[in-house]
């Protein structure tokens, strides 16, 4: 299975016909939109600059999935209703005495609790890994022996200060 992947306005991969996948699409201003698996119109929104596909829907318009699933390690991505906030979640699992993972419904509830309106599950299992440079690298314990493993898709974020200091942002936000 595969879906849409767009990098800086260039389509890297198209969706495989007959096997729709959810997709998060971002315009040049990083406003996100969500294309669920069940959407009849499978075209990307106009102005898509970056896009990444997922495996399954996890949260649709604030509605959690009905079916209960077994627990797994997962990577999930969600957005708020306006498409102005991105939520990333990595869940460890398949590691007795450390983490058993979460089911899709639990992931939906966690992301919804933070404000997500739409969310998708990305790949899971040993490829669920989050790397945070400011925290020293890999920030979870992947189920594939605690190490990264090669995967076919990645999602990266680079933050720009835009001329504001952390102190200015803290004062403006009331922290």
């Amino acid at each position: 299975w595969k879906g849409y992947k767009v990098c800086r306005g260039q389509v890297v991969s198209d969706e495989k016909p007959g096997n729709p996948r959810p997709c998060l699409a971002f315009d040049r201003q990083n406003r996100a939109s969500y294309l669920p698996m069940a959407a009849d119109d499978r075209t990307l929104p106009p102005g898509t600059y970056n896009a990444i596909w997922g495996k399954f829907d996890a949260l649709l318009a604030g509605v959690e999935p009905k079916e209960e699933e077994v627990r797994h390690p997962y990577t999930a991505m969600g957005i708020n209703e306006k498409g102005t906030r991105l939520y990333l979640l990595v869940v460890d699992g398949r590691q007795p005495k450390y983490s058993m993972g979460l089911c899709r419904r639990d992931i939906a509830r966690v992301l919804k609790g933070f404000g997500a309106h739409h969310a998708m599950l990305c790949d899971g299992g040993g490829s669920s890994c989050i790397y945070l440079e400011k925290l020293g690298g890999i920030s979870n314990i992947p189920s594939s022996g605690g190490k990264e493993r090669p995967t076919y898709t990645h999602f990266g974020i680079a933050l720009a200060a835009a001329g504001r200091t952390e102190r200015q942002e803290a004062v403006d936000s009331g922290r």
Side-chain angles (χ1 to χ4, degrees):
W1 46 271
K2 72 175 190 170
Y4 288 114
K5 186 163 60 170
V6 178
C7 183
R8 297 183 183 142
Q10 300 296 312
V11 177
V12 176
S13 71
D14 287 317
E15 185 173 78
K16 185 177 178 182
N19 196 11
R21 294 290 149 202
C23 178
L24 276 174
F26 302 87
D27 64 18
R28 282 185 167 270
Q29 290 73 41
N30 289 321
R31 182 170 295 263
S33 57
Y34 189 71
L35 180 63
M37 290 176 66
D40 292 330
D41 181 0
R42 301 302 307 162
T43 57
L44 290 171
T48 296
Y49 190 64
N50 291 300
I52 188 167
W53 54 280
K55 192 170 184 179
F56 299 111
D57 294 318
L59 184 64
L60 291 173
V63 178
E64 302 164 12
K66 301 250 185 262
E67 70 278 1
E68 192 62 33
E69 297 179 19
V70 295
R71 295 171 177 230
H72 291 289
Y74 276 116
T75 301
M77 301 172 70
I79 59 172
N80 66 354
E81 190 169 4
K82 293 180 181 180
T84 56
R85 288 198 185 257
L86 173 67
Y87 304 92
L88 302 174
L89 176 66
V90 172
V91 177
D92 290 331
R94 296 185 195 141
Q95 299 174 71
K97 298 182 183 178
Y98 170 67
S99 175
M100 297 306 295
L102 292 177
C103 68
R104 184 166 33 164
R105 179 180 290 167
D106 292 336
I107 288 171
R109 288 178 177 162
V110 168
L111 289 170
K112 188 176 178 180
F114 279 100
H117 188 69
H118 297 295
M120 66 183 187
L121 297 177
C122 302
D123 198 14
S127 65
S128 285
C129 183
I130 189 164
Y131 180 94
L132 301 168
E133 186 174 342
K134 288 194 175 194
L135 295 180
I138 298 173
S139 298
N140 69 313
I141 301 175
S143 65
S144 58
K147 299 178 185 170
E148 294 176 273
R149 74 172 198 205
T151 61
Y152 49 84
T153 189
H154 297 79
F155 183 80
I157 298 173
L159 301 176
R164 295 174 53 85
T165 66
E166 286 184 24
R167 175 73 184 133
Q168 287 171 319
E169 291 176 6
V171 169
D172 289 349
S173 67
R175 292 182 276 145

